[in-house]
Amino acid sequence: MKRETGILLLLIASLIIVCGSSRAGEPLKFSGGEFSTVLKKAELFHNDSIHVLNFKYADRKRGFKPYIAPTVLIAGGTALHFSDSKYQFNDWVQDNFHYEGGADDYLRFAPLAAVYSLNAIGIKGENNFGNLTAISLKSFILNDLLVYSLKKAVNEERPNGGQHSFPSGHTSVVFAFAQIMHHEYGEQSIWYSVGAYSCAATVGLMRIAKGAHWASDVLAGAGIGMLSTELVYLTHQYKWDWEHIKHFDIFPFSVGQQKGLTLVYNF
């Protein structure tokens, strides 16, 4: 019954399109052969497309699983933020692994640099260059908005006396990019994911050893970074390829003293 209903709806849609295409005042001419063609196309569309229409990308079929780790990290970091244990842990790290270098400032970008390097040498990930770049930019921007909004709202003092400690921005960025590596190459080999997350964890530990953050900041930052990337992959429309870019037009405009560029997408 559902199959016949789907075909009927598609047939009605086809008829509406044909009616709308006819000139005003002219009777609609629809031969038996044309009717059969529309019916066959409707049936083929129903059989081949409807069942995958809303689930084209694997990221939308995994349910809540991708959000478990980010949720645990954010919850753990938030709980530790209100606990005296964070002071004890930071004292232990400072006593045993004190660090004063600047490598953490550069290592936070390492997972994303590795993704583009793999693309450059011909090892292709899940998405093409256009979609990968769009996802990376959106993930970075969303993560930045979340982190710095929380920094201003919480205004936690850093171990070294600075301000805006919670959550860790360096850690959130590196985990956001590590999550991109996991999405793009994780199914090809688990070692891509292991390498990216190891780099991210190293940056988090370096931030603690440097006295720039509490352990609670690092845990929450890691979760926020992973969550930002997951949300971007979930909502991304995957239209940054040549097939879709050809539908874009950019042209200048001038209205009085106002001048600029107009971006138009033809559907």
Side-chain angles (χ1 to χ4, degrees):
M1 181 63 182
K2 291 182 179 180
R3 176 175 176 275
E4 286 75 9
T5 302
I7 294 174
L8 179 59
L9 289 173
L10 288 166
L11 179 59
I12 292 171
S14 301
L15 288 171
I16 292 172
I17 293 171
V18 174
C19 290
S21 301
S22 63
R23 296 179 181 177
E26 290 186 0
L28 176 64
K29 296 180 181 180
F30 206 55
S31 67
E34 291 172 336
F35 184 85
S36 299
T37 300
V38 171
L39 183 60
K40 288 179 180 178
K41 288 183 177 180
E43 186 171 359
L44 285 171
F45 181 81
H46 173 79
N47 291 335
D48 296 339
S49 302
I50 284 183
H51 67 289
V52 296
L53 188 60
N54 296 320
F55 301 98
K56 183 176 180 181
Y57 305 106
D59 300 291
R60 300 178 185 177
K61 295 191 294 186
R62 296 188 297 167
F64 293 104
K65 185 177 179 180
Y67 306 97
I68 295 175
T71 301
V72 170
L73 288 168
I74 294 172
T78 302
L80 188 59
H81 172 72
F82 295 101
S83 171
D84 291 339
S85 300
K86 69 178 183 181
Y87 303 113
Q88 300 168 5
F89 182 79
N90 273 59
D91 289 341
W92 180 81
V93 172
Q94 288 287 307
D95 292 339
N96 294 276
F97 304 100
H98 184 67
Y99 166 73
E100 295 182 352
D104 49 314
D105 293 331
Y106 304 99
L107 279 177
R108 57 179 163 163
F109 301 110
L112 187 64
V115 170
Y116 277 99
S117 297
L118 288 169
N119 270 271
I121 63 176
I123 304 175
K124 301 302 180 183
E126 289 296 311
N127 291 290
N128 58 32
F129 181 86
N131 281 303
L132 172 61
T133 302
I135 288 169
S136 301
L137 287 173
K138 290 196 292 183
S139 178
F140 181 81
I141 292 171
L142 177 59
N143 176 73
D144 192 64
L145 289 173
L146 292 174
V147 167
Y148 284 97
S149 296
L150 284 170
K151 281 181 177 291
K152 290 294 182 69
V154 178
N155 196 24
E156 172 74 2
E157 185 177 351
R158 296 173 185 263
N160 59 13
Q163 297 298 311
H164 308 309
S165 182
F166 183 90
S168 169
H170 281 63
T171 308
S172 65
V173 167
V174 70
F175 269 92
F177 291 157
Q179 199 73 1
I180 291 175
M181 171 67 85
H182 174 66
H183 271 273
E184 296 297 319
Y185 292 98
E187 292 187 2
Q188 295 186 30
S189 172
I190 191 175
W191 294 108
Y192 288 121
S193 301
V194 170
Y197 289 131
S198 297
C199 175
T202 300
V203 170
L205 289 172
M206 292 171 77
R207 298 300 287 169
I208 298 173
K210 198 174 184 177
H213 284 288
W214 307 102
S216 54
D217 308 336
V218 168
L219 288 176
I224 292 170
M226 295 171 71
L227 179 63
S228 299
T229 296
E230 286 297 335
L231 291 175
V232 168
Y233 270 95
L234 178 68
T235 57
H236 188 64
Q237 296 300 306
Y238 299 89
K239 291 184 177 180
W240 291 89
D241 51 42
W242 287 117
E243 186 62 32
H244 287 91
I245 290 175
K246 286 188 294 185
H247 295 172
F248 278 102
D249 286 318
I250 301 177
F251 55 88
F253 73 88
S254 176
V255 180
Q257 296 183 347
Q258 302 296 321
K259 302 181 185 300
L261 293 174
T262 301
L263 178 65
V264 177
Y265 182 81
N266 299 308
F267 294 93

